[in-house]
Amino acid sequence: MEILKYIGMGLVVIGAIFLFLGALGIYRMPDVYNRMQAGTKATTLGAIGLILGVGFMQPEWIIKTLIIIIFIAIANPLSSHALARAAYRNKQKPYMKNKVDAYEKVVYDNPENKKEEE
Amino acid sequence: MKKYLAIFLLLIVGFYLIQAFNLVPFGANRVGNIDDESTVGAYYLKNTVPKTSVANVVTAIVVNYRGFDTLGEVTVLFLATTGLGSILFRKRKHGEEEERVLKESSQLVKIGSRLLFPFIALLGIYVFIHGHLTPGGGFQGGAIIATGFLLMLVAYKNYKLGHGALTWIESLAGITFAGIGIWGLITGGTFLENNAFPGLGNVNDLISGGVIPIIYIAVGFKVAAELTGVLDILLSIKPNKN
């Protein structure tokens, strides 16, 4: 069972690294969407790595940790999606050095949304 | 003249306040010393588990030693909901459908919240069923269930809550709480007598602690129904167009 322990430790370290990168991204990124990407994508992987690592270190907890991981895998991208969508609809402009805003056509060419703006 | 009367009354109140404070020995620690049998904290810690066979001392104090107070708290919550409903009540024209102010959510949010809702409700139920064993209880479990309903209300613009069902759940839970209290009086004990109903059982069993788990389950249902009603009322208000 020593091997499982070391695998778990490795996973915890990977998770911690990704969580750190997420925090760094929130600090460094230029606009809402990039920050949100750092704060949700990186932390999803970080949290999953961390929790799975704990599950490997304590094998009797593995089922509980898997349930938590499923919950995070559903809830975290979902909430970031909803937040990003709400931010765009409230006219938070993306960072324009990217020069591409593919979502603009989807939102503003839709007749329903034009009605809402009036 | 009025001024002198006020000063006189204040002097009387102040005199009795000082008298009351003089009853407490200056600088004495009346709560913290666990070995001192005369303090209330030590009494609870020593006697709760043998007398009520409830592992969670906080729950035993909230629901049993001060159960009457909790009944009052639940009533306050009920009154708050009623007040909110009566203040924010909007007269609808005949046949007008109730409409929420939120915009339609995306398909992903809808499906995801439908997936998550049963698990959130399950967690809430778990929290209030195990209120006498683990941290948490009726209020917390009810709040968790209400967050599940909040998710559904945010995701679905036309999500309908059965107001009749909410009222029934709330009333039945309240009646259960008060009825258990009166049952204690009928069986010859006090109001909210602990060992009146299913017996005490063993510490750390799911069915143990007399009426405490039953009361907490009733409180959980009541809080969930009330908070859900509050959320529904708040989400149905239309902002002024001007």
Side-chain angles (χ1 to χ4, degrees):
Chain A
M1 289 298 106
E2 281 292 297
I3 293 174
L4 275 183
K5 203 175 166 187
Y6 287 119
I7 293 173
M9 283 176 176
L11 282 169
V12 167
V13 169
I14 291 171
I17 290 170
F18 271 97
L19 284 175
F20 171 73
L21 288 177
L24 191 69
I26 289 175
Y27 182 62
R28 292 284 296 169
M29 287 292 183
D31 69 342
V32 176
Y33 306 99
N34 280 320
R35 280 199 290 272
M36 200 175 280
Q37 179 173 326
T40 53
K41 274 186 186 167
T43 54
T44 306
L45 191 56
I48 286 175
L50 204 71
I51 294 165
L52 198 64
V54 172
F56 270 106
M57 279 198 259
Q58 297 278 340
E60 64 265 35
W61 293 352
I62 190 78
I63 294 172
K64 283 183 197 174
T65 55
L66 283 177
I67 291 170
I68 298 170
I69 284 169
I70 291 170
F71 182 80
I72 289 175
I74 294 173
N76 218 345
L78 203 64
S79 59
S80 70
H81 156 78
L83 281 172
R85 194 167 177 271
Y88 196 88
R89 303 223 160 183
N90 282 304
K91 311 211 173 55
Q92 279 283 337
K93 279 286 153 202
Y95 185 53
M96 268 310 158
K97 267 188 189 168
N98 296 334
K99 292 185 178 151
V100 179
D101 186 2
Y103 195 41
E104 192 173 18
K105 276 185 183 165
V106 183
V107 175
Y108 292 111
D109 288 359
N110 194 341
E112 278 180 31
N113 295 317
K114 278 191 177 154
K115 221 183 277 173
E116 280 175 12
E117 276 176 49
E118 280 162 15
Chain B
M1 182 64 210
K2 227 175 178 180
K3 209 192 275 174
Y4 293 113
L5 193 67
I7 288 168
F8 181 64
L9 286 174
L10 273 178
L11 278 177
I12 293 174
V13 172
F15 175 73
Y16 282 108
L17 263 178
I18 288 165
Q19 289 275 306
F21 278 124
N22 268 337
L23 292 176
V24 183
F26 183 72
N29 186 357
R30 301 288 293 168
V31 179
N33 192 359
I34 291 169
D35 300 323
D36 185 3
E37 275 283 335
S38 67
T39 62
V40 67
Y43 178 83
Y44 283 143
L45 284 176
K46 282 232 165 91
N47 292 306
T48 296
V49 175
K51 274 194 176 172
T52 64
S53 76
V54 164
N56 186 347
V57 178
V58 176
T59 297
I61 293 170
V62 167
V63 179
N64 202 246
Y65 288 103
R66 294 174 184 180
F68 200 62
D69 187 53
T70 305
L71 187 59
E73 275 169 33
V74 172
T75 315
V76 166
L77 200 60
F78 170 71
L79 284 179
T81 320
T82 316
L84 204 64
S86 56
I87 290 168
L88 298 176
F89 177 74
R90 195 169 60 88
K91 231 182 200 174
R92 271 178 310 205
K93 286 167 198 150
H94 190 66
E96 190 189 350
E97 279 287 301
E98 195 170 342
E99 210 181 317
R100 294 213 173 75
V101 287
L102 297 166
K103 289 176 188 167
E104 193 75 15
S105 295
S106 67
Q107 199 64 36
L108 267 175
V109 176
K110 284 183 184 173
I111 291 172
S113 48
R114 213 159 66 198
L115 256 174
L116 290 178
F117 175 70
F119 295 104
I120 295 172
L122 189 69
L123 175 68
I125 291 168
Y126 174 87
V127 167
F128 70 64
I129 283 180
H130 290 78
H132 57 303
L133 303 175
T134 55
F139 291 94
Q140 292 86 340
I144 290 170
I145 292 173
T147 58
F149 277 108
L150 175 63
L151 196 62
M152 292 304 273
L153 287 168
V154 168
Y156 287 87
K157 199 179 176 188
N158 297 316
Y159 189 69
K160 288 273 180 301
L161 286 167
H163 285 279
L166 281 183
T167 315
W168 270 101
I169 290 169
E170 205 179 318
S171 314
L172 279 179
I175 290 169
T176 310
F177 196 159
I180 285 169
I182 291 168
W183 182 253
L185 285 179
I186 290 171
T187 50
T190 55
F191 192 72
L192 291 169
E193 177 78 32
N194 187 27
N195 43 16
F197 200 22
L200 286 182
N202 300 320
V203 183
N204 276 335
D205 278 359
L206 183 59
I207 299 172
S208 68
V211 298
I212 289 174
I214 301 166
I215 289 174
Y216 243 10
I217 288 168
V219 170
F221 273 112
K222 198 166 162 58
V223 170
E226 279 160 358
L227 289 181
T228 309
V230 168
L231 292 171
D232 188 39
I233 293 165
L234 285 177
L235 284 172
S236 307
I237 315 160
K238 293 224 159 179
N240 270 337
K241 283 276 158 75
N242 335 328

